[in-house]
Amino acid sequence: MAAPAVKAARGWPVLALGVRNRLLRFPGLTQVRGSRYGPEYKDPQVDKEYYRKPLAELTEEEKYERELRKTQHIKAAPASKTSSVFEDPVISKFTNMIMKGGNKVLARSLMAQTLEAVKRKQFEKYHAASAEERTSIERNPYTIFHQALKNCEPVIGLVPILRGGHFYQVPVPLADRRRRFLAMKWMITECREKKHRRVLMPEKLSHELLEAFHNQGPVIKKKHDMHKMAEANRALAHYRWW
Amino acid sequence: MVCPQGFTASVTLTLVLLLPSMLTEWQLSVLVLLYTSPTCNEDENLSVSLAAICFPLKSLLCLLPFLYIFLVRIHHPGDSSLSTVFQIAAVMLTRTSRLVSGARRLDPGRLLHAGSQAPQSLAAPLDNQAPDDSPRAVSRTSEKDPARHGEQHEGLHYNIPLQDMRTLFPHSLPPRFSMQVKTFSEACLMVRKPALELLHYLKNTNFAHPAVRYVLYGEKGTGKTLSLCHVIHFCAKQDWLILHVPDAHLWVKSCRSLLPSTYNKQRLDQPAEASIWLKNFKTTNERFLSQIKVQEKYVWNKRESTEKGSPLGEVVEQGIMRVKNATDAVGVVLRELKGQSSLGGFRLLVAVDGVNALWGKTTLKREDKSLVAPEELALVHNLRKMVKNDWHGGTIVLTLSQTGSVFKPRKAYLPQELLGKEGFDALDPFIPILVSNYSPKEFESCIQYYLENSWLQHEKAHTEEGKKELLFLSNANPGQLERLCAHL
């Protein structure tokens, strides 16, 4: 988790970043971002299969873990996390990024309509294709979604670094979560801005996802542009110190 | 072996039930013979129960106990059980031969999916199923004629050819169902209890009595409109004339062009809706249009008129070409059909979806912003006359619908709530038919249908856990299930 941000109340000095939140529970200091849980709090286990295992089948480690969890502090599970078999963390993250103004209902319905649109388009292609081509047509909207986002992830990114009064765009290897975030962000921005007023979001999103699945389309082009810029600024790579 | 009767029966039953897996058929039949020795009991019930247990034996050795009993009975001619033994033997022969061929068609995979289907198919006579039913397709039946649908087809899907769909339902299917038809390239309807009940009533209608009104009601998404489509398909196959209003709510809201009626100054015309309806009517009942002749002269304007005795097709053409007269053309068609159905030349089916629109409120306003009541619309006025039961020679099948209705609460589904006092009194007396959510068997069949068409693509949807979750999320509501499965 990122270091918690702290807003000082009037009259109190701001403490340095990186201080543990336990020491900040003074009156007058409010925490703005970051987790309120201390390090001893464990993540909740929502997997039904974990609890369905009969006691006889557990190994020693698992039995120990179960006993330990009975006495540990456990964080509250967020409302968006379910023990449904159809739950997908990537889809949930994407839905949250589509959401505007906290309207999760709308975001979820848009996501569902997008997946349905992808499925129907692929079924149409499937029925129109011959027997040899049918084996190569993927009809599962979830595999298409995951593959499309994976295809859109950049390998290397650019970071502005201040040297001598100027900001230079330095090529930098990106962390996994940053790559996933960039892929999703580019996809959503592309669909929001570059569509006609009358075209609905699910239709545009499904079209872009299918194109990205086949390594074509504007989002893939953006990824390639990013790679080319990083290649062009190769000389500045030594500005990176980490 | 002399032993008390009840004890022997229970002991043999339990032994024979438990032992078949361990003993061969020879040994079983020897055991049975020993137990049916004449000193033990003269009980027909025991012999019949033993016969039932010997069913699974795939050889004629199961007949041995009966032959033995039969021979024994011959030596005791005073017994009246001889005829019953004959009957039992005859039934045994036929059933074993059928089962030997039928047992090969069943396989464990079918039993896993079918659940309650399996004992039913074993018990019911096997020749009611269409002969080319594939053993794995538990959710489909190859019986294409709705007239032959019976209780054994309940829960199964039957295929309507796409050509029939285009003639019977031009632009009048629920949008999600028409999307499904387009995606799967086939139109399959599930045979369900309310539709079967309606078909039974329709098959036994007395056309000399006034038209009976049937009202399909139920909560949202339970399948009222598709049951109506099933009934319409049946009537089309039986060569009835079909007067189908796909959605009466479309006539009482969002009408762009409202003209004062040419026929009656107080009423209003809806040219667009009327011409669309006339086009669909023409597509559905092409062949009746030349057979039925109008019985009066109708003058449309100074230059055009339809003479008495000309075919009904001319009136329909007039309405389609001259959109201003479309509403009056609809009125003429309805009046002619009502008058002539009693003569017996054809049978008339009046099918209206969302009939509660005729007696509610409208959202239409005149130019002076005053609200329009439904009876001031000429189309609604004429349809109300059609739905009255003062004619004979046909039936009226109606559906209530909250989905497209105006000013009705979301949870309302009962006839009294949706029709209001006025509508209920106008439709009284009618036969209400409740359409409810899927039964467990129908739910299984629906899931099986989606799996066959590869519609459920999520890998977890194939598992038991996934099915349980779908059942929980949709509460076996057909509409909700369809929406859930669309994105899975």
Side-chain angles (χ1 to χ4, degrees):
Chain A
M1 272 294 193
V6 168
K7 220 166 127 173
R10 205 191 289 171
W12 283 93
V14 179
L15 299 171
L17 276 173
V19 177
R20 298 270 285 261
N21 47 7
R22 270 313 178 66
L23 304 176
L24 301 175
R25 297 196 196 279
F26 291 128
L29 279 177
T30 51
Q31 278 191 266
V32 178
R33 270 191 305 282
S35 168
R36 307 300 178 96
Y37 290 114
E40 68 276 7
Y41 278 79
K42 301 293 167 213
D43 284 315
Q45 174 67 263
V46 287
D47 187 18
K48 272 194 251 184
E49 296 304 318
Y50 178 85
Y51 294 110
R52 278 202 193 135
K53 257 185 161 179
L55 276 167
E57 275 183 34
L58 299 176
T59 60
E60 284 306 315
E61 293 174 358
E62 285 173 347
K63 278 194 193 137
Y64 174 73
E65 205 191 313
R66 291 253 183 131
E67 289 296 320
L68 191 61
R69 282 182 84 82
K70 284 182 191 168
T71 49
Q72 277 175 335
H73 290 290
I74 300 194
K75 299 182 195 174
S80 49
K81 206 150 152 63
T82 56
S83 49
S84 156
V85 290
F86 301 120
E87 193 187 336
D88 192 347
V90 183
I91 300 260
S92 309
K93 184 64 88 179
F94 196 78
T95 318
N96 286 341
M97 288 178 75
I98 290 178
M99 174 166 63
K100 272 192 193 174
N103 196 346
K104 184 76 146 245
V105 173
L106 182 62
R108 247 185 89 136
S109 72
L110 286 175
M111 197 67 223
Q113 286 169 42
T114 308
L115 292 168
E116 189 186 335
V118 164
K119 214 199 228 184
R120 282 196 201 266
K121 285 184 189 170
Q122 290 299 93
F123 264 76
E124 233 180 87
K125 265 191 239 171
Y126 185 85
H127 285 307
S130 59
E132 307 88 51
E133 292 166 32
R134 276 186 183 183
T135 44
S136 63
I137 293 180
E138 175 63 56
R139 288 188 286 176
N140 189 341
Y142 292 87
T143 40
I144 292 179
F145 180 79
H146 289 126
Q147 190 57 42
L149 285 184
K150 223 184 286 189
N151 290 350
C152 290
E153 282 176 15
V155 169
I156 195 165
L158 292 170
V159 154
I161 291 189
L162 181 64
R163 272 294 178 98
H166 296 278
F167 280 99
Y168 296 101
Q169 296 289 334
V170 175
V172 134
L174 298 170
D176 266 342
R177 55 176 187 269
R178 177 76 186 156
R179 288 158 63 190
R180 283 193 288 264
F181 170 78
L182 278 177
M184 290 196 230
K185 186 81 184 169
W186 288 343
M187 179 65 77
I188 294 174
T189 323
E190 167 69 35
C191 291
R192 275 183 185 158
E193 286 166 13
K194 301 276 175 55
K195 71 174 177 72
H196 184 62
R197 178 180 54 91
R198 299 275 294 181
V199 169
L200 295 171
M201 185 68 164
E203 202 188 303
K204 176 77 177 170
L205 241 186
S206 59
H207 182 253
E208 292 305 325
L209 282 171
L210 282 170
E211 285 203 313
F213 178 70
H214 292 114
N215 271 314
Q216 292 157 358
V219 192
I220 300 285
K221 185 171 169 303
K222 189 147 183 185
K223 173 184 91 158
H224 289 323
D225 286 345
M226 170 81 114
H227 286 173
K228 279 184 208 154
M229 291 246 311
E231 184 63 30
N233 288 5
R234 215 172 44 206
L236 305 169
H238 64 276
Y239 280 173
R240 180 171 67 97
W241 64 85
W242 63 90
Chain B
M1 287 188 200
V2 183
C3 24
Q5 279 187 4
F7 180 66
T8 318
S10 51
V11 163
T12 19
L13 274 170
T14 43
L15 274 179
V16 179
L17 278 171
L18 288 172
L19 291 178
S21 51
M22 297 194 285
L23 297 179
T24 61
E25 294 157 2
W26 275 108
Q27 292 164 340
L28 263 176
S29 51
V30 161
L31 259 180
V32 162
L33 272 172
L34 283 172
Y35 273 104
T36 52
S37 58
T39 50
C40 193
N41 48 48
E42 322 264 13
D43 202 8
E44 288 169 354
N45 295 336
L46 179 60
S47 50
V48 169
S49 56
L50 280 171
I53 289 153
C54 294
F55 262 40
L57 294 176
K58 288 187 203 146
S59 70
L60 294 175
L61 290 171
C62 48
L63 286 182
L64 274 175
F66 290 97
L67 289 173
Y68 187 56
I69 297 165
F70 172 51
L71 291 167
V72 161
R73 295 280 185 266
I74 280 185
H75 295 303
H76 303 270
D79 261 348
S80 59
S81 50
L82 192 64
S83 54
T84 50
V85 175
F86 272 125
Q87 285 162 15
I88 291 164
V91 166
M92 283 287 314
L93 267 172
T94 44
R95 282 203 177 170
T96 36
S97 54
R98 249 189 242 153
L99 267 170
V100 166
S101 57
R104 287 210 194 93
R105 284 189 355 213
L106 293 173
D107 54 338
R110 180 176 182 181
L111 290 170
L112 272 176
H113 290 305
S116 57
Q117 178 87 341
Q120 191 194 32
S121 55
L122 275 176
L126 285 168
D127 49 7
N128 262 11
Q129 293 265 339
D132 46 339
D133 242 352
S134 59
R136 295 204 178 272
V138 184
S139 65
R140 286 182 202 254
T141 172
S142 48
E143 184 57 76
K144 295 220 169 141
D145 189 7
R148 287 205 288 267
H149 283 159
E151 281 203 10
Q152 67 272 22
H153 295 110
E154 198 189 312
L156 303 180
H157 293 83
Y158 83 100
N159 197 359
I160 306 181
L162 287 174
Q163 190 53 42
D164 285 356
M165 293 295 277
R166 267 187 292 248
T167 33
L168 285 178
F169 307 114
H171 313 293
S172 45
L173 283 173
R176 284 206 76 92
F177 183 67
S178 55
M179 272 201 294
Q180 185 182 299
V181 168
K182 189 164 161 256
T183 307
F184 292 165
S185 333
E186 64 172 2
C188 277
L189 279 186
M190 195 196 274
V191 178
R192 295 182 73 198
K193 263 212 188 72
L196 284 174
E197 201 185 320
L198 252 182
L199 291 181
H200 176 74
Y201 294 149
L202 285 179
K203 283 176 205 168
N204 303 341
T205 34
N206 185 346
F207 293 104
H209 291 169
V212 184
R213 287 177 287 215
Y214 304 97
V215 173
L216 288 161
Y217 72 103
E219 292 184 328
K220 180 174 164 174
T222 42
K224 306 179 281 289
T225 308
L226 288 186
S227 300
L228 191 69
C229 292
H230 191 175
V231 168
I232 291 175
H233 186 223
F234 164 76
C235 293
K237 282 272 165 141
Q238 305 283 311
D239 267 349
W240 292 36
L241 204 162
I242 297 173
L243 204 94
H244 180 43
V245 178
D247 196 358
H249 293 295
L250 295 174
W251 290 358
V252 299
K253 51 180 185 173
S254 327
C255 178
R256 292 287 175 91
S257 52
L258 268 181
L259 304 170
S261 170
T262 41
Y263 182 72
N264 186 334
K265 288 286 171 290
Q266 272 96 38
R267 293 208 273 259
L268 294 167
D269 259 1
Q270 284 158 297
E273 281 87 8
S275 61
I276 292 169
W277 185 84
L278 279 172
K279 283 193 200 112
N280 294 342
F281 178 74
K282 187 174 156 197
T283 323
T284 314
N285 303 304
E286 202 67 70
R287 31 184 219 86
F288 285 105
L289 292 179
S290 42
Q291 285 170 18
I292 302 173
K293 310 278 183 233
V294 279
Q295 284 171 344
E296 271 181 41
K297 179 175 162 161
Y298 296 103
V299 179
W300 302 109
N301 49 34
K302 262 190 272 181
R303 283 174 224 165
E304 285 161 11
S305 65
T306 316
E307 300 301 321
K308 177 174 167 178
S310 50
L312 199 64
E314 274 195 28
V315 174
V316 175
E317 283 300 329
Q318 177 72 28
I320 294 175
M321 274 193 325
R322 292 262 177 273
V323 185
K324 268 186 89 168
N325 298 333
T327 319
D328 294 328
V330 172
V332 163
V333 163
L334 292 181
R335 182 204 278 186
E336 288 296 323
L337 289 175
K338 192 166 167 180
Q340 293 192 24
S341 67
S342 322
L343 304 174
F346 56 88
R347 295 181 203 164
L348 181 60
L349 171 76
V350 178
V352 183
D353 203 328
V355 74
N356 46 320
L358 302 182
W359 285 281
K361 288 194 244 185
T362 69
T363 51
L364 304 173
K365 290 192 185 134
R366 291 197 193 82
E367 284 90 17
D368 54 355
K369 309 280 173 83
S370 58
L371 278 174
V372 174
E375 46 270 1
E376 291 171 27
L377 293 166
L379 281 175
V380 172
H381 180 86
N382 292 328
L383 198 57
R384 276 194 196 181
K385 283 195 276 184
M386 203 65 202
V387 167
K388 231 160 66 159
N389 57 350
D390 51 0
W391 52 281
H392 61 268
T395 22
I396 307 173
V397 182
L398 308 166
T399 308
L400 297 177
S401 162
Q402 191 281 331
T403 312
S405 65
V406 288
F407 307 116
K408 289 284 177 206
R410 197 167 56 90
K411 298 280 184 184
Y413 72 97
L414 295 168
Q416 182 72 37
E417 293 165 3
L418 282 176
L419 289 169
K421 185 171 181 325
E422 205 193 325
F424 198 91
D425 291 336
L427 281 184
D428 209 13
F430 60 86
I431 298 181
I433 300 175
L434 172 67
V435 184
S436 54
N437 289 336
Y438 280 152
S439 64
K441 178 179 157 197
E442 288 173 336
F443 180 81
E444 267 303 319
S445 167
C446 188
I447 296 276
Q448 194 58 29
Y449 174 67
Y450 287 141
L451 286 172
E452 272 166 31
N453 285 50
S454 329
W455 189 232
L456 288 173
Q457 286 281 327
H458 200 286
E459 58 277 356
K460 290 289 166 90
H462 303 261
T463 59
E464 278 308 311
E465 275 290 323
K467 282 186 199 155
K468 272 198 273 189
E469 190 162 327
L470 282 173
L471 179 63
F472 171 72
L473 287 172
S474 64
N475 193 23
N477 183 290
Q480 276 292 50
L481 181 65
E482 197 270 318
R483 278 174 179 131
L484 276 172
C485 294
H487 63 82
L488 277 177

